[in-house]
Amino acid sequence: MNGLLAARDNGERKWMYPLIRKGTYYKWRSLLSYVYLVLFFCGPFIKIKGQPLLLLNVIDRHFVILGQVFWPQDIYLFMLASLVLIVCIVLFTVAFGRIFCGWICPQTIFMEMVFRKIEVWIEGDGNKQKKLNAAAWDKEKIRKKVIKHGLFLLVSFLIANTFLAYIIGRESLLKIILEPISLHWVGFSSACVFTIVFYMVYSQVRELVCTVICPYGRLQGVLMDEHTLVVAYNEVRGEPRGKLDKTGLIVKGDCVDCSLCVAVCPTGIDIRNGTQMECTNCTACIDACDEVMDKIHKPRNLIGYFSEDMVRSKKKPSLNLRMIGYSSVITIIMLVLCYFIFSRTDMDITIMRGSGMLYQEQPHRFISNIYNADITNKANFSRTVTLKAEDPDIKIQYIQPPGIITKGNDIKIVFFVLIPGSKIHSFKTDVRLQLISGNKVIQTVTTEFVAPINN
Ligand code: SF4
Ligand code: SF4
């Protein structure tokens, strides 16, 4: 039956009018969505050490994550982060199914916690919306539709601008807003296109994003198994479905076949038919069924978080060893990635001994080696840098001095290291060189110095 409920027999799309039940899960999801929305809309205004919280400027290839600046030179970290993300998604899905979709996915949060709430506020619950859509166009219907779509456009415009701020930075966005449009045609057009895209997604496409378009949803079938924790119906307890008899007693299983779980489902499926690809684990059916169970004085959780295995073996929902194991692996991988990200310096230097002559004898019994260095400035500002040997007796002579390195750029320098002959005790000597910017030692590197030992 997968997908069939989203379409009528004639192939037309079946529009969803889900009812809302404000149960325990709905309240927790609402709370989480408020935190999420505050973070999303305030994100462009939050700065960490002068850097934005998040900036994904693909145009200038400049990225900032949690105040850490990344340039194209850090591509290896992005590759690593992408790999880690893929591994985490796979492990997380194997253990916890589509929990991400129901609780954290921006599509679900904006659809169910923003646009759906606006819709219910203006047009009423699912049944009233259906009635309104079927009714002839009168003043009331026009008024409601104009207000609803006006608000949808307004919220889409806000989302589009915030989204743009994460790409081009809030300063550039403010310029687009405050300066004449003629100076910012590209930026202004992008804001308009994003607004229309978001408006179409949340007013028209809606649940089809999760059930048809999203590739993650399509992957569920191969990632989940009988041990995966998902929103599921406890058929052992619920079947055979029955109605209450005249005395108020259930004559069969605990499911009274009221269909409320189907009426609240935003993707229009019946969870009693088993785990389905269209289920976003939004928990609406859990809340609905809990409400029914309360009314008929039966224990809650006829629909709840279960694995197939738990239902069959009549075990209570709990974290099994596999879930704990996968969660631990995800945590360790994430910690390693964080270590790589936060332990990186915002300058990098690579020093290589020059090819050709191994060493040169210089006046006053100094021996010199020639080096090439590549210095990268990963900070978001220009820097003046210089090199210095840790040992004050060792001198540096530049052929090509460093000077200023602009943000996100690198320079190449060539220099001699001169060591007094009296300090040479072996053919190869380790020399420690400091990269200095603004009287601060940014990095110390050890390089090899070659000289004859008869000095
Ligand atoms: S809400 Fe619960 S009792 Fe009602 S049909 Fe669904 S599973 Fe059965
Ligand atoms: S079946 Fe339940 S959890 Fe799945 S999408 Fe429908 S209401 Fe949400």
Side-chain angles (χ1 to χ4, degrees):
M1 69 137 278
N2 288 352
L4 293 181
L5 282 174
R8 295 183 186 287
D9 291 342
N10 60 7
E12 268 178 31
R13 177 179 173 188
K14 185 179 172 189
W15 198 263
M16 297 297 152
Y17 298 100
L19 299 179
I20 304 291
R21 284 296 179 273
K22 294 181 182 173
T24 314
Y25 284 98
Y26 185 84
K27 282 176 189 152
W28 278 110
R29 282 176 58 226
S30 295
L31 204 66
L32 187 70
S33 72
Y34 300 144
V35 175
Y36 185 100
L37 291 171
V38 167
L39 269 177
F40 175 77
F41 286 112
C42 296
F45 301 96
I46 300 172
K47 294 225 166 187
I48 301 174
K49 289 190 214 153
Q51 299 296 335
L53 181 73
L54 182 69
L55 180 75
L56 303 171
N57 192 337
V58 278
I59 305 150
D60 294 340
R61 295 182 299 159
H62 173 204
F63 307 92
V64 184
I65 299 169
L66 296 176
Q68 294 278 318
V69 184
F70 298 89
W71 295 96
Q73 294 90 338
D74 294 308
I75 189 77
Y76 74 96
L77 268 177
F78 268 91
M79 307 279 277
L80 185 68
S82 313
L83 275 176
V84 165
L85 199 69
I86 292 169
V87 172
C88 289
I89 287 175
V90 170
L91 291 184
F92 190 84
T93 311
V94 170
F96 302 104
R98 280 182 94 168
I99 283 186
F100 169 84
C101 303
W103 291 80
I104 308 165
C105 175
Q107 167 65 19
T108 312
I109 297 222
F110 281 113
M111 184 65 245
E112 298 306 324
M113 296 296 157
V114 180
F115 288 89
R116 184 89 63 200
K117 284 183 176 176
I118 293 174
E119 193 166 59
V120 171
W121 177 51
I122 295 166
E123 296 186 350
D125 69 12
N127 290 332
K128 288 187 182 155
Q129 288 167 28
K130 196 173 180 179
K131 220 168 136 191
L132 186 72
N133 280 0
W137 285 92
D138 58 5
K139 269 189 192 165
E140 184 61 4
K141 182 168 173 175
I142 293 171
R143 187 184 68 85
K144 284 185 173 170
K145 293 289 177 192
V146 167
I147 296 175
K148 183 179 96 169
H149 288 285
L151 281 175
F152 274 17
L153 268 172
L154 181 68
V155 178
S156 302
F157 180 71
L158 287 177
I159 298 172
N161 278 279
T162 312
F163 186 65
L164 210 53
Y166 282 115
I167 297 175
I168 58 172
R170 80 171 178 193
E171 289 79 11
S172 305
L173 179 72
L174 280 177
K175 276 187 191 166
I176 296 173
I177 295 171
L178 299 173
E179 293 178 2
I181 292 173
S182 56
L183 295 177
H184 302 284
W185 272 115
V186 177
F188 178 73
S189 314
S190 308
C192 293
V193 170
F194 283 140
T195 303
I196 292 167
V197 168
F198 286 124
Y199 169 75
M200 290 307 288
V201 165
Y202 295 113
S203 67
Q204 304 300 319
V205 188
R206 305 190 139 203
E207 76 284 349
L208 295 185
V209 173
C210 313
T211 57
V212 179
I213 301 169
C214 176
Y216 179 57
R218 309 278 99 193
L219 267 178
Q220 305 306 305
V222 281
L223 293 178
M224 297 193 315
D225 62 19
E226 70 273 20
H227 305 293
T228 307
L229 197 68
V230 288
V231 172
Y233 165 68
N234 186 343
E235 59 191 18
V236 173
R237 192 185 131 191
E239 300 295 315
R241 296 166 205 178
K243 300 274 181 198
L244 293 181
D245 67 8
K246 282 177 192 155
T247 61
L249 289 172
I250 301 174
V251 285
K252 294 177 180 169
D254 279 359
C255 174
V256 290
D257 209 11
C258 64
S259 295
L260 192 59
C261 51
V262 183
V264 296
C265 180
T267 61
I269 59 171
D270 186 341
I271 192 71
R272 295 172 299 171
N273 293 334
T275 304
Q276 293 148 73
M277 229 170 354
E278 291 80 359
C279 176
T280 58
N281 277 225
C282 74
T283 69
C285 53
I286 304 183
D287 281 334
C289 193
D290 280 351
E291 187 183 305
V292 177
M293 291 299 115
D294 287 350
K295 274 188 196 149
I296 62 171
H297 308 294
K298 286 278 173 186
R300 289 180 160 206
N301 244 14
L302 177 58
I303 300 175
Y305 279 109
F306 303 109
S307 65
E308 237 180 273
D309 191 37
M310 282 171 195
V311 173
R312 254 189 273 120
S313 56
K314 297 186 184 172
K315 282 188 210 150
K316 283 198 168 168
S318 63
L319 292 179
N320 59 32
L321 260 182
R322 189 175 82 148
M323 288 162 193
I324 295 169
Y326 282 0
S327 308
S328 312
V329 174
I330 293 170
T331 311
I332 292 167
I333 297 176
M334 295 301 275
L335 286 176
V336 171
L337 180 66
C338 288
Y339 170 77
F340 273 116
I341 290 174
F342 289 103
S343 64
R344 65 190 263 291
T345 55
D346 57 6
M347 289 214 89
D348 250 354
I349 180 165
T350 315
I351 299 179
M352 305 273 287
R353 236 166 44 79
S355 53
M357 276 180 77
L358 282 179
Y359 60 87
Q360 298 86 36
E361 292 185 2
Q362 304 281 0
H364 311 295
R365 299 197 65 235
F366 271 86
I367 308 289
S368 69
N369 279 192
I370 191 165
Y371 293 88
N372 299 306
D374 201 336
I375 308 173
T376 308
N377 178 14
K378 296 180 190 169
N380 203 19
F381 48 86
S382 299
R383 279 179 139 154
T384 306
V385 292
T386 179
L387 275 181
K388 196 180 155 207
E390 236 179 34
D391 182 340
D393 291 335
I394 299 177
K395 293 181 196 169
I396 287 179
Q397 265 178 14
Y398 294 109
I399 296 174
Q400 197 179 325
I404 296 174
I405 317 176
T406 50
K407 62 179 183 179
N409 278 319
D410 56 356
I411 54 160
K412 294 187 191 324
I413 61 167
V414 186
F415 61 96
F416 285 110
V417 171
L418 292 95
I419 302 186
S422 57
K423 291 230 160 192
I424 309 282
H425 304 296
S426 63
F427 179 62
K428 286 180 180 173
T429 307
D430 279 348
V431 180
R432 285 174 63 75
L433 299 175
Q434 297 174 330
L435 177 67
I436 294 173
S437 172
N439 295 329
K440 198 174 151 206
V441 177
I442 306 286
Q443 212 177 327
T444 303
V445 271
T446 304
T447 187
E448 206 172 62
F449 188 92
V450 175
I453 40 177
N454 54 349
N455 285 281

